[in-house]
Each structure stands twice: as structure tokens, then as C-alpha cells.
Amino acid sequence: MIKKIILILMVFFNSEIYSQNKSYFKSGFYKDLIEFDLRTSSSNSDFKANKIKTTLHYRLKYKSGKRIKSPFAVSDGEKLYIKTKSISDNLSNDYWIILSDEGSVYSIASKINDKLIYLEEEELGKTIAFIGIATAKTRGIIYEHETKKFTVLKKNSDLFDFLNRNSPELIRQYCIENSNDKVKIEFLRKIISHIFNQTTSPSKVFE
């Protein structure tokens, strides 16, 4: 029951994705990190995204029904899906382990602007993932065009470093300490919303 409530709240927060501005990632298949970072797709095809129950992940399929596995990211012109394993393989910090189906599941972006992409994932510790007996923690993940890396914003120090690179004035405004304390997802969402409302024109902010 508790897990269902958490998932409902996460879906409510991520509902902003459904008005994602089309100018950031045009419809297409982004085969690798280079195309993803340049936001230029080399191919396109009709596809369908199916939400996997009790998780934040999606499975993508071609019109023929064949599962999409290889592209780094896929966009329908409104929503951006990033292969979960691609995120894991391009992390700047080592917090997160993916439990996926042969690397063929995709995560969905919540917010995008010219320099940043924000999404949320479920973090599983390596021991927990191996024995499979604990509830995953929701973590915010940010992709920075400048570093070409994804960063799990798990600790205050991760958030501090990210803000120092992008919005240093928010460190003082939100009293962020450079510590190992965990970042609460609700608090992180406030800061992320602030950043995207501050750095993006109104027509490009997810409503």
C-alpha cells in the first residue's frame, strides 16, 4: 500500500513530462551518447511505450511488436525516453545499480532545458539488489551538457557540487551544506523546479 502511494506521488510530480516542449528532442532514435548530447537523431520509426507496473520504467516496442533495445534514447517529439542502462553506464558517481531486463528498459525525463535533463530513478544498494528484499529509494538524476554525465543527487555534497556548477546562488538560498547527509526527494524537487523555472523561458517549462 505504501509503495503504491509513493508511486502515485511520483507520477503526479512527473506528470510535467506530458507537456514536454518539442523543440528540445525531436522525434527520433538517438543511437549513442554523441547523438543524445547533440540532440540530433540519425533515424526514426513509429513506436509504443508501455509503463512497467510498480516501477518507473518503460518498455518500448516498434509498430511490429519487436522490442526496442539498442538506442541510447528515443523521443516521440513530446516525451524523451533514455535507456536505463545508458544512464548507469554514464554516471559521474557510483551509487546506483540497475535491475533491468537485459538492458532493454527505458526511463523517462521529467524536465529538460538547453543544458540540463532531470529524471527520477529507484536506487538499489548492491547487497539489496542481490538478495532482493528492500524497498528502493527514489533519487533525482541530472544530466549536464557540459560534463556529458549523469549524476545521482543522493547526498548534500552531490547537490552542492551540482549547484556550484550551475546555480551557485541557490546554495545559500536553500542552505545547502557540503555534507554526506542524504537529500530528501521532496526538497530536491523544489530546487529542481526552481532551476528550470529560472533558466527556461515560460513556453519551455513543463506545466
Side-chain angles (χ1 to χ4, degrees):
M1 182 65 181
I2 294 176
K3 189 169 184 179
K4 287 184 178 179
I5 294 173
I6 292 173
L7 284 169
I8 290 170
L9 292 174
M10 292 170 68
V11 169
F12 178 77
F13 176 78
N14 286 330
S15 63
E16 296 172 332
I17 61 181
Y18 297 112
S19 59
Q20 188 177 114
N21 190 280
K22 295 182 180 181
S23 65
Y24 287 121
F25 280 88
K26 293 182 179 180
S27 178
F29 287 32
Y30 299 78
K31 68 178 182 179
D32 52 27
L33 178 60
I34 295 174
E35 289 192 358
F36 176 76
D37 190 64
L38 292 175
R39 304 189 180 194
T40 303
S41 63
S42 59
S43 62
N44 201 353
S45 181
D46 291 335
F47 72 94
K48 183 178 181 180
N50 296 309
K51 179 81 165 53
I52 302 174
K53 292 181 180 180
T54 72
T55 77
L56 300 179
H57 296 138
Y58 290 76
R59 285 196 178 96
L60 309 184
K61 293 184 178 181
Y62 294 102
K63 200 172 182 178
S64 64
K66 183 179 179 181
R67 189 179 298 181
I68 297 171
K69 296 182 179 183
S70 59
F72 191 100
V74 179
S75 172
D76 63 4
E78 295 183 354
K79 295 179 283 294
L80 175 67
Y81 303 90
I82 308 170
K83 188 160 71 171
T84 312
K85 191 175 186 303
S86 296
I87 299 171
S88 180
D89 289 344
N90 291 278
L91 284 178
S92 66
N93 45 17
D94 185 25
Y95 294 140
W96 187 40
I97 184 170
I98 303 301
L99 292 182
S100 62
D101 182 7
E102 299 177 354
S104 63
V105 298
Y106 283 75
S107 304
I108 192 165
S110 297
K111 293 179 181 288
I112 303 174
N113 66 18
D114 294 333
K115 298 180 180 179
L116 305 170
I117 299 172
Y118 176 78
L119 65 148
E120 292 182 356
E121 262 296 348
E122 295 173 329
E123 182 205 23
L124 298 168
K126 293 182 179 180
T127 302
I128 292 171
F130 179 74
I131 59 179
I133 59 171
T135 303
K137 299 289 185 181
T138 302
R139 302 294 183 195
I141 298 177
I142 199 82
Y143 177 82
E144 298 173 68
H145 173 70
E146 185 175 346
T147 65
K148 296 178 174 53
K149 288 287 185 179
F150 294 89
T151 299
V152 181
L153 301 174
K154 177 178 179 178
K155 299 178 181 178
N156 280 341
S157 57
D158 303 316
L159 181 57
F160 184 95
D161 290 342
F162 162 67
L163 291 177
N164 197 39
R165 290 191 298 271
N166 294 275
S167 300
E169 72 281 0
L170 297 185
I171 294 175
R172 184 171 183 178
Q173 182 174 340
Y174 284 92
C175 302
I176 308 298
E177 296 181 355
N178 191 4
S179 71
N180 288 326
D181 293 339
K182 302 295 191 300
V183 179
K184 292 184 178 180
I185 192 65
E186 296 82 6
F187 178 64
L188 177 60
R189 288 169 179 168
K190 290 181 181 179
I191 296 175
I192 292 297
S193 292
H194 187 140
I195 290 172
F196 279 84
N197 279 280
Q198 182 182 56
T199 60
T200 314
S201 63
S203 64
K204 294 183 180 180
V205 174
F206 305 146
E207 303 296 342

